[in-house]
Amino acid sequence: MDYTHLSEFAVRPGALTLWRAELASGAAWTADARPLASVHVRHCRATDAADPRPGRDRWIGTIFEMDAPFHPAHWRETARRWHARHEGLRTTLTRHDGPEPERLVCAAADVAVTAEPIPGITGSGAINEYLTTTLESRLSPLRWPHCLLATVEHADTGDFTVLVAADHSVLDAYSQAIVILELRALYAEVTRGEPPRESPTFGSAADFAQWERDTAAALTPDCDAVRYWQRFLDGSGGMLPRFEPAITATGRATVIAGGATGSVAGGGTGAVVGGGELEALPQTSVSRKLLSLSELEQVERAVTERGHRLSVAVFTALAIAYRRAFGHRSLRAIMPIATRPDLRWLESMGWFVNVVPLDLTLAPDLDLDSALESTRTVLRRSRTANDATWTRVLELLNCTDHPRFGISFLDIRALPDHELVESLRGHTLRAESYSPDEVFFWIVRATDGLRLSTRFPATFPEVEMDRFLAEFTRAMREFAGTQGGGDRTADTRASFALPSAARAAESMPPAPRALTPARV
């Protein structure tokens, strides 16, 4: 399962239809006393209500091919049941410019689904372009529905492609992964005339938000987690850490004005066009397989013999590569993690997210055994912050910064029926980013080897990222005692999607607690 932009997924040609939720005739929103989650509030406050493209740089989603014939009425009922099941999809908010946005909900029976056929848009490129523009303009945390679905019917093969796209406020990375099999199962139930499966694990995201806010309210400056964060912030001048090599690179940006090309100093990146306004450039995005399955299995056996898990090796190799490629002794970043503290939210749709610190400082000699042990110790310690809401912690520490350097790791085998998801061409999606200084890595132990996706500023030379990722690949091979040997089918030039290693150093439990979001 790759973590890519929609433009990198080859949608097969076909008939395109958009599907959106709406209130049934005569239905109305109801005020709800449960608060929004802390990160949801932060997300809303950062959104400009007048922005004509509120989904730009923000939406996330999933795309896959349904292995069944397309029947419009069956799909409409599938989408309706999905919204009825998940209260998070039936939630919106009142005005967000007050002290606290207030939650509005509608009843499960009050949701209807409307189809919007899009005639004349049938080719792969045209479908991708149309959907990207539509999602950027229509997805917002301030305007319901916060989720849009799309289908592409393939008459030649008798099946169809499904796109699920949403504002981050109603979807996280784990939701992105499990929605494929959920919609497949719902569609099969509708087709067979069966009632939807009921389960206590479809817990409400609004109930989670209440739990999260209560937990956040209990934090104090003297809590172990807050003190842990304080020490972490002290290491970077009270700010969240950056990908240090990119900071220098983003000091120059291309300027185009009156036909002339030059440079502009400062942290921005982009082009000045005509009137002199700086226009952001899309970040560079790279997705590659770094190790083949046979190579990765060698690494896993060797690391297991040393008493460690693959996650420990991955983070250790990143720290080694950071030093070898750029000369930095410490790798400091944040780790987005899934935080579903109870089984009732195991299959929920929503934004169940936290962020924890990562500070890896390896000894000068880079002895592999000591480096692995050091990394495992750091990952264990990071658990101190697992349930401490990061936004509230930063408030207590008077830090107004936002994450700019993040890393997450997922072993795809933690997901149910992951091989079936692969066969359906399942991909998790992220919107293009235009940030001048953010760098994020998503590393996946996939069914066919080790895969990595990254996005970084347009001004950062891709050759430098290639060098870093080549060093990361080399360090991974060193754990198995192979220096570029083995099956060389992987792309080693280098340079979903989802969960992190915050809990993986020791005994990573089944899926949701190991997963992370696409954005934080």
Side-chain angles (χ1 to χ4, degrees):
M1 181 185 287
D2 281 330
Y3 189 37
T4 62
H5 294 153
L6 179 59
S7 61
E8 298 173 71
F9 182 90
V11 178
R12 291 188 286 128
L16 174 64
T17 304
L18 296 181
W19 305 83
R20 74 176 189 277
E22 63 181 18
L23 289 180
S25 177
W29 293 103
T30 301
D32 192 292
R34 291 168 297 179
L36 303 181
S38 299
V39 70
H40 192 165
V41 173
R42 180 185 176 111
H43 183 61
C44 291
R45 287 176 174 164
T47 302
D48 181 358
D51 188 347
R53 297 165 67 189
R56 186 176 185 262
D57 194 21
R58 286 171 162 240
W59 70 269
I60 63 174
T62 298
I63 194 166
F64 67 100
E65 295 183 347
M66 188 76 81
D67 53 343
F70 180 66
H71 192 295
H74 291 170
W75 177 254
R76 186 194 303 271
E77 174 61 11
T78 297
R80 189 201 65 78
R81 289 187 181 191
W82 187 57
H83 282 83
R85 172 181 284 170
H86 297 293
E87 190 175 33
L89 302 177
R90 297 182 280 105
T91 284
T92 191
L93 68 156
T94 58
R95 294 178 56 184
H96 73 296
D97 53 359
E100 177 80 16
E102 295 179 357
R103 183 184 298 275
L104 299 173
V105 300
C106 69
D110 289 341
V111 175
V113 172
T114 295
E116 296 181 35
I118 311 298
I121 306 292
T122 58
S124 297
I127 289 173
N128 278 8
E129 184 177 351
Y130 178 86
L131 288 174
T132 297
T133 300
T134 299
L135 301 179
E136 287 187 351
S137 62
R138 292 175 60 173
L139 290 177
S140 168
L142 310 181
R143 185 171 65 245
W144 192 81
H146 306 298
C147 178
L148 291 173
L149 304 174
T151 55
V152 181
E153 182 183 5
H154 310 297
D156 57 337
T157 55
D159 55 7
F160 62 106
T161 294
V162 175
L163 168 72
V164 180
D167 179 75
H168 210 335
S169 57
V170 299
L171 208 67
D172 63 11
Y174 182 59
S175 304
Q176 286 178 277
I178 65 173
V179 70
I180 295 175
L181 294 183
E182 181 181 9
L183 289 177
R184 182 177 181 270
L186 280 170
Y187 190 71
E189 289 167 352
V190 172
T191 300
R192 294 192 298 261
E194 299 172 354
R197 175 175 68 93
E198 300 294 336
S199 172
T201 58
F202 295 124
S204 168
D207 289 342
F208 166 79
Q210 182 69 69
W211 174 89
E212 183 272 327
R213 293 297 293 273
D214 291 344
T215 303
L219 292 172
T220 70
D222 294 326
C223 293
D224 289 343
V226 178
R227 291 181 179 274
Y228 186 80
W229 267 101
Q230 179 69 76
R231 292 190 294 271
F232 180 69
L233 295 176
D234 287 345
S236 48
M239 306 287 284
L240 292 170
R242 314 300 202 258
F243 185 77
E244 296 293 339
I247 295 175
T248 302
T250 55
R252 299 176 68 82
T254 301
V255 173
I256 304 173
T261 301
S263 65
V264 60
T269 176
V272 177
V273 182
E277 182 125 349
L278 195 66
E279 179 180 324
L281 295 174
Q283 285 199 321
T284 304
S285 176
V286 173
S287 295
R288 292 179 181 162
K289 185 168 77 170
L290 303 182
L291 294 176
S292 68
L293 182 59
S294 61
E295 284 185 294
L296 183 57
E297 288 175 339
Q298 291 181 57
V299 173
E300 289 174 324
R301 285 192 294 269
V303 170
T304 300
E305 289 173 0
R306 285 183 162 105
H308 299 286
R309 294 181 177 270
L310 178 63
S311 56
V312 176
V314 165
F315 279 86
T316 303
L318 286 170
I320 291 173
Y322 202 60
R323 179 181 301 185
R324 287 175 174 170
F326 306 124
H328 294 283
R329 183 178 174 186
S330 296
L331 175 67
R332 307 183 74 255
I334 57 92
M335 290 193 297
I337 64 168
T339 175
R340 300 183 181 220
D342 190 275
L343 286 177
R344 61 179 154 154
W345 294 300
L346 182 66
E347 298 182 88
S348 297
M349 294 291 115
W351 199 1
F352 303 82
V353 174
N354 201 19
V355 167
V356 299
L358 175 69
D359 189 344
L360 295 174
T361 303
L362 304 182
D365 60 4
L366 286 181
D367 173 75
L368 292 185
D369 286 316
S370 62
L372 286 166
E373 188 59 41
S374 177
T375 298
R376 180 167 67 174
T377 298
V378 168
L379 293 176
R380 282 176 172 173
R381 288 174 179 168
S382 72
R383 297 174 185 170
T384 302
N386 276 359
D387 295 323
T389 300
W390 69 280
T391 53
R392 176 56 181 157
V393 170
L394 295 188
E395 287 176 1
L396 289 172
L397 298 178
N398 297 314
C399 177
T400 59
D401 201 10
H402 69 273
R404 290 182 175 87
F405 181 22
I407 306 170
S408 62
F409 170 77
L410 164 69
D411 188 333
I412 200 73
R413 296 168 299 179
L415 297 177
D417 295 323
H418 60 89
E419 291 178 337
L420 174 57
V421 170
E422 293 279 356
S423 72
L424 298 175
R425 291 188 69 205
H427 285 60
T428 49
L429 303 173
R430 52 190 165 89
E432 285 199 56
S433 175
Y434 296 83
S435 170
D437 54 8
E438 292 179 0
V439 178
F440 278 78
F441 294 100
W442 297 270
I443 303 157
V444 178
R445 197 294 184 194
T447 56
D448 63 347
L450 189 71
R451 293 185 172 272
L452 182 144
S453 294
T454 179
R455 62 175 177 87
F456 51 92
T459 52
F460 185 69
E462 189 168 353
V463 66
E464 291 298 303
M465 186 59 74
D466 286 345
R467 185 162 63 94
F468 171 67
L469 295 176
E471 290 291 355
F472 169 64
T473 307
R474 178 163 75 99
M476 289 295 294
R477 288 194 176 113
E478 288 175 0
F479 293 127
T482 60
Q483 299 298 313
D487 182 348
R488 299 305 302 276
T489 59
D491 183 347
T492 58
R493 292 174 300 161
S495 65
F496 75 66
L498 319 171
S500 115
R503 298 174 175 85
E506 275 294 296
S507 54
M508 185 172 70
R513 293 188 68 85
L515 298 173
T516 75
R519 284 181 55 83
V520 288

